[in-house]
């Protein structure tokens, strides 16, 4: 059958191109533009080539921030994903408990980032905070302002408190979509509780868990507001994650060239890691072999 | 293998059932013969699945007992009842191969590797799955997945009964026929008790030796397909089985004559003691009437004639009632009005829906 070809149809997507150009491509190109030039203000630019990139990739400061960032995201994923799945498994499947649990789970997600930071900042204070005061009275020396370990613990606890619910809700949705017949069949086959989890629940939750891992990875990798409010990147630079460092560089020191280069690299790192996660998790050994 | 007896069994999903309407399953007594092929037939929501789940132990009955070969298993958990169940939607363990799926129930029961292997291969052969054994179960078609579900039940040597809960719902029509014939053969080969839940009369009739018809939480008739057709014990059975269903007309019965509207119909038997105060109806299958241009019979007005191949169905009105008459393909329809003449020995009398036996 001959299909009529009419290239004027491309005009129909023109508005979208225009929108995307203004909202994404132009700002991005501005950043690219800054990253290859040097400026001292007054709109005077000097060509810098790849200098900023070379400088960035060799800088100790960037390596450390990136290391902290990777460490933070890894810890957050290792805690939140299993914890979220366990909580989802424990949630009731019917009755009045369902709406109660769902609302309780959704609450932390509704709180603005800076408020979460403020809540934990006050909560952890040794003089008036419930957590800080109690810990100190019990004999633990706890001070997130001076102690690197305590600062990390507090930020991680805060992130777990804030975001585990997201994993719970996604995992719970995945669990709810499993037809009752699967559990019945497993019961008839004499499967153990662990087998039910490993062979039915986990495979059926796979797709929502991929989304959960990607969302939690990207969000945790871009975390800014909460640690900024809680510790401001300190003590020292111990909780200065990539985004905090970037803001210091761009707005604190007004080094626009290096900051732009860092933005680009930061973006590429997130893209690369998300792609790796996605590829690894959706990798299906059967698919490549075909229906052999 | 076992005979299954249900004793005064009843179930309600409410904690404190008061009236009859609160029961999903009204009190019933049934014995399922060891090795029988049964169908549990009824419309959606009549309690078939509840009954099946009680037998397999997924639901605890509110009252009554379940006996396997005389042993009370009412409170025995599912996994120790040795029941197999095939569900409406195919249930396979997605991450496992077909082989692992079939071996799974044996592995859980701690059977040795060599015994498992022999058994799995035997069942795969029987179901025609041998060539797929190494494939991932998730990759197969719906009918193959249903075979795997069935295989997981057959693979255990000690299965007491195999329960099917509308297993062909998601199968293509063409494969449905094939799989149904396969099931029938399988039953003859393995000789296990099989109970097949369906709302499709053709499925029930082709699979089962004995059909249990359920309606509104109760069993209305247990019989062979022929008995259900020839002597429906309840007007519901008359409607539900046969295509089109039985014509049911309100009537006044005096001795061996039924007065339907202004027409008298001769009956084969007398009904001297019909219970007073009950709704009396007569039921005549569309197949048990002849059309004539004039003479005795119910005066009907023919609305349209559906030619469905071997036979024709005359859709007609008798007074204010719809009535269907099956006529042979080559028969001549007399005209717009005609007389429908029932065969007297095939006219059944019902009181409040239940068949009344006449006196000779």
């Amino acid at each position: 059958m001959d299909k009529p070809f009419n290239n004027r149809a491309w005009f129909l997507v023109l508005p979208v191109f225009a929108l995307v150009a203004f909202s994404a491509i132009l700002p991005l190109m501005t950043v690219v533009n800054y990253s290859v030039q040097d400026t001292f203000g007054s709109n005077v630019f000097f060509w810098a080539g790849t200098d900023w990139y070379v400088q960035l990739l060799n800088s100790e400061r960037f390596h450390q921030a990136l290391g902290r960032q990777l460490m933070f995201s890894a810890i957050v994923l290792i805690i939140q994903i299993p914890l979220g799945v366990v909580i989802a498994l424990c949630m009731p499947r019917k009755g009045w408990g369902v709406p109660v649990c769902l609302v309780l789970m959704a609450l932390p997600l509704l709180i603005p980032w800076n408020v979460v930071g403020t809540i934990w900042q006050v909560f952890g204070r040794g003089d008036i905070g419930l957590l800080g005061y109690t810990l100190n009275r019990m004999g633990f020396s706890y001070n997130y302002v001076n102690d690197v370990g305590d600062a990390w613990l507090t930020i991680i606890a805060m992130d777990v408190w804030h975001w585990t619910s997201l994993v719970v809700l996604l995992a719970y949705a995945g669990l709810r979509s499993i037809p009752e017949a699967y559990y019945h069949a497993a019961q008839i086959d004499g499967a153990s509780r662990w087998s039910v989890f490993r062979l039915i629940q986990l495979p059926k939750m796979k797709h929502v868990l991929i989304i959960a891992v990607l969302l939690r990875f990207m969000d945790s990798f871009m975390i800014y507001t909460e640690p900024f409010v809680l510790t401001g990147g300190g003590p020292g630079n111990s909780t200065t994650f990539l985004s905090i460092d970037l803001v210091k560089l761009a707005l604190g020191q007004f080094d626009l060239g290096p900051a732009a280069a860092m933005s680009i690299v930061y973006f590429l790192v997130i893209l690369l890691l998300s792609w790796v996660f996605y590829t690894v998790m959706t990798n299906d050994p059967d698919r490549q072999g075909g229906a052999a | 293998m076992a005979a299954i007896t249900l004793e005064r069994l009843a179930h309600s999903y409410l904690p404190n059932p008061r009236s009859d309407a609160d029961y999903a399953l009204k009190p019933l007594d049934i014995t399922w013969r060891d090795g029988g092929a049964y169908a549990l037939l009824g419309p959606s929501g009549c309690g078939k699945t509840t009954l099946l789940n009680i037998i397999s132990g997924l639901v605890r009955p509110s009252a009554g007992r379940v006996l396997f070969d005389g042993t009370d298993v009412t409170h025995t958990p599912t996994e120790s009842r040795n029941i197999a169940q095939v569900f409406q939607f195919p249930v396979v363990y997605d991450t496992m191969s077909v082989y692992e799926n079939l071996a799974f129930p044996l592995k859980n029961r701690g059977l040795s590797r060599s015994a498992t292997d022999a058994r799995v291969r035997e069942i795969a052969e029987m179901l025609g799955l041998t060539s797929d054994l190494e494939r991932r179960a998730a990759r197969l078609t719906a009918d193959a997945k249903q075979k795997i579900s069935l295989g997981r039940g057959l693979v255990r040597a000690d299965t007491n009964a195999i329960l099917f809960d509308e297993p062909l719902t998601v199968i293509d029509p063409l494969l449905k026929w094939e799989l149904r014939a396969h099931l029938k053969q399988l039953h003859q080969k393995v000789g296990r008790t099989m109970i097949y839940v369906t709302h499709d009369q053709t499925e029930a009739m082709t699979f089962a030796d004995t059909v249990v018809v359920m309606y509104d939480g109760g069993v209305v008739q247990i019989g062979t397909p022929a008995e259900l057709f020839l002597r429906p014990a309840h007007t519901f059975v008359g409607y539900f089985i046969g295509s089109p269903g039985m014509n049911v007309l309100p009537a006044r019965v005096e001795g061996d004559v039924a007065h339907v509207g202004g027409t008298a119909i001769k009956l084969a038997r007398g009904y001297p003691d019909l219970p007073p105060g009950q709704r009396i109806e007569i039921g005549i299958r569309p197949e048990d009437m002849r059309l004539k241009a004039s003479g005795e019979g119910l005066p009907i007005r023919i609305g349209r004639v559906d030619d469905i191949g071997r036979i024709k169905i005359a859709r007609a009105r008798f007074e204010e009632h719809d009535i269907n008459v099956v006529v042979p393909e080559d028969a001549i329809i007399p005209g717009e009005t005609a007389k429908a003449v029932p065969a007297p020995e095939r006219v059944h009398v019902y009181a409040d829906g239940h068949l009344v036996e006449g006196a000779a």
Side-chain angles (χ1 to χ4, degrees):
Chain A
M1 214 175 81
D2 283 330
K3 273 195 227 165
F5 270 95
N6 189 339
N7 281 324
R8 270 176 297 181
W10 286 105
F11 285 115
L12 294 176
V13 281
L14 208 59
V16 177
F17 273 128
L19 271 176
V20 173
F22 276 103
S23 69
I25 299 173
L26 289 182
L28 187 67
M29 287 322 289
T30 316
V31 177
V32 172
N33 201 23
Y34 274 117
S35 75
V36 291
Q37 300 187 75
D38 196 3
T39 178
F40 302 105
S42 347
N43 245 353
V44 184
F45 288 93
F46 303 95
W47 176 253
T50 56
D51 285 2
W52 298 133
Y53 289 95
V54 174
Q55 186 190 321
L56 178 82
L57 295 176
N58 289 320
S59 101
E60 188 76 0
R61 176 175 162 181
F62 178 71
H63 293 167
Q64 282 175 354
L66 183 64
R68 281 191 288 269
Q69 187 67 70
L70 287 169
M71 170 87 98
F72 177 73
S73 285
I75 293 174
V76 157
L77 284 178
I78 287 169
I79 296 176
Q80 290 183 1
I81 300 293
L83 183 65
V85 170
V86 168
I87 294 175
L89 285 171
C90 295
M91 272 169 62
R93 262 191 280 172
K94 51 188 164 203
W96 56 268
V98 176
V100 172
C101 284
L102 288 180
V103 169
L104 283 179
M105 283 297 146
L107 273 181
L109 300 176
L110 300 175
I111 301 173
W113 285 252
N114 53 350
V115 177
V116 172
T118 312
I119 290 174
W120 280 81
Q121 203 230 20
V122 174
F123 188 44
R125 278 174 64 160
D127 51 352
I128 55 165
L130 185 62
L131 177 73
Y133 185 77
T134 313
L135 281 177
N136 283 327
R137 283 304 292 259
M138 283 165 69
F140 298 99
S141 107
Y142 168 83
N143 186 339
Y144 67 80
V145 182
N146 291 331
D147 187 280
V148 175
D150 291 347
W152 270 78
L153 275 178
T154 314
I155 291 181
I156 286 164
M158 175 177 67
D159 201 73
V160 167
W161 177 83
H162 194 184
W163 286 112
T164 304
S165 312
L166 181 76
V167 182
V168 173
L169 293 178
L170 283 168
Y172 187 68
L175 282 175
R176 284 287 291 265
S177 71
I178 303 174
E180 215 37 39
Y182 278 85
Y183 296 111
H184 288 170
Q187 223 177 324
I188 286 167
D189 291 337
S192 61
R193 181 71 192 82
W194 171 244
S195 296
V196 169
F197 175 70
R198 199 168 57 86
L199 299 170
I200 298 173
Q201 292 172 323
L202 204 55
K204 295 279 171 198
M205 274 195 289
K206 188 177 149 192
H207 293 289
V208 288
L209 284 184
I210 290 173
I211 294 175
V213 168
L214 284 178
L215 283 179
R216 281 317 301 131
F217 164 70
M218 289 188 287
D219 263 357
S220 65
F221 210 76
M222 297 188 289
I223 191 167
Y224 175 75
T225 317
E226 297 113 305
F228 180 74
V229 173
L230 189 72
T231 62
N237 273 331
S238 62
T239 57
T240 300
F241 299 119
L242 281 179
S243 57
I244 296 181
D245 202 27
L246 179 62
V247 172
K248 278 184 185 168
L249 196 61
L251 302 180
Q253 301 164 219
F254 221 71
D255 282 336
L256 293 183
M262 187 176 168
S263 297
I264 302 281
V265 172
Y266 194 177
F267 167 66
L268 291 178
V269 169
I270 292 181
L271 200 65
L272 176 75
L273 287 176
S274 296
W275 177 78
V276 168
F277 271 120
Y278 185 79
T279 317
V280 168
M281 285 192 298
T282 53
N283 180 32
D284 193 335
D286 257 23
R287 201 158 286 165
Q288 277 112 32
Chain B
M1 295 208 264
I4 301 170
T5 311
L6 307 179
E7 250 181 32
R8 303 303 302 154
L9 192 78
H11 187 71
S12 171
Y13 288 104
L14 304 173
N16 296 306
R18 291 205 184 83
S19 69
D20 250 14
D22 289 346
Y23 279 92
L25 204 60
K26 291 174 189 136
L28 53 87
D29 282 280
I30 313 182
T31 299
W32 315 83
R33 194 168 32 77
D34 184 15
Y38 291 92
L40 208 51
L41 179 66
S44 305
C46 72
K48 320 183 283 276
T49 300
T50 305
L51 182 55
L52 206 66
N53 286 343
I54 288 175
I55 295 174
S56 60
L58 298 170
V59 171
R60 291 283 148 82
S62 321
R65 302 200 298 160
V66 180
L67 308 172
F68 285 4
D69 274 343
T71 318
D72 189 342
V73 295
T74 318
H75 300 288
T76 310
T78 304
E79 56 272 28
S80 5
R81 286 193 192 194
N82 290 331
I83 284 283
Q85 191 161 349
V86 179
F87 297 91
Q88 196 165 359
F89 298 99
V91 176
V92 294
Y93 301 102
D94 289 342
T95 50
M96 296 202 271
S97 69
V98 174
Y99 184 97
E100 289 165 324
N101 259 279
L102 293 176
F104 188 59
L106 299 179
K107 203 174 122 198
N108 289 331
R109 284 168 175 77
L111 203 73
S112 78
R113 199 173 280 265
S114 58
T116 305
D117 188 67
R119 193 74 191 142
V120 167
R121 294 197 183 277
E122 183 191 337
I123 296 301
E125 190 61 48
M126 202 187 279
L127 294 169
L129 288 170
T130 308
S131 57
D132 292 326
L133 275 178
E134 302 310 321
R135 287 181 64 185
R136 268 268 295 275
R139 296 263 170 276
L140 301 183
T141 53
D143 60 305
K145 284 183 182 172
Q146 279 302 47
K147 283 188 188 171
I148 297 173
S149 307
L150 173 60
R152 284 205 312 270
L154 288 174
V155 79
R156 283 148 46 195
D158 56 354
T159 311
N160 280 319
I162 303 174
L163 313 180
F164 298 89
D165 190 356
E166 309 197 13
L168 302 181
T169 310
V170 293
I171 312 291
D172 280 352
L174 196 70
L175 289 169
K176 248 182 205 178
W177 282 99
E178 226 168 84
L179 212 56
R180 206 186 291 158
H182 201 123
L183 276 181
K184 183 87 187 161
Q185 281 175 3
L186 220 55
H187 174 256
Q188 280 153 2
K189 212 183 287 178
V190 299
R192 305 261 173 84
T193 311
M194 293 191 179
I195 304 176
Y196 189 109
V197 164
T198 177
H199 56 242
D200 179 344
Q201 47 168 316
T202 327
E203 253 173 52
M205 303 282 201
T206 45
F207 173 77
D209 318 323
T210 311
V211 179
V212 177
V213 185
M214 292 189 65
Y215 172 60
D216 197 19
V219 170
V220 285
Q221 187 168 9
I222 302 177
T224 63
E227 281 167 0
L228 298 183
F229 192 79
L230 295 173
R231 291 183 59 75
H234 190 276
T235 46
F236 172 76
V237 181
Y239 280 131
F240 198 69
I241 291 173
S243 173
M246 190 165 71
N247 299 303
V248 177
L249 303 167
R252 189 163 49 80
V253 174
E254 281 171 354
D256 59 357
V257 177
H259 298 277
V260 189
T263 313
I265 293 178
K266 182 84 178 79
L267 300 173
R269 290 150 174 259
Y271 295 83
D273 29 50
L274 280 176
Q278 295 197 354
R279 189 178 74 252
I280 305 294
E281 288 157 318
I282 60 163
I284 316 162
R285 288 223 172 260
E287 292 84 353
D288 297 332
M289 288 195 279
R290 278 180 306 118
L291 281 188
K292 282 203 309 186
S294 60
E296 298 264 292
L298 301 167
I300 59 168
R301 177 174 292 277
I302 296 171
R304 69 168 204 273
V305 176
D306 296 340
D307 193 331
I308 57 165
R310 259 178 325 103
I311 53 164
K312 285 192 267 197
I313 302 167
R315 312 275 183 188
R317 297 280 291 173
F318 162 69
E319 294 175 1
E320 72 275 25
H321 308 287
D322 283 320
I323 193 165
N324 296 313
V325 181
V326 167
V327 287
E329 177 68 0
D330 51 0
I332 290 145
I333 309 285
E336 202 175 301
T337 57
K339 293 291 173 66
V341 188
E345 67 282 3
R346 294 291 187 82
V347 180
H348 306 292
V349 175
Y350 296 92
D352 271 356
H354 292 279
L355 182 70
V356 183
E357 297 288 338

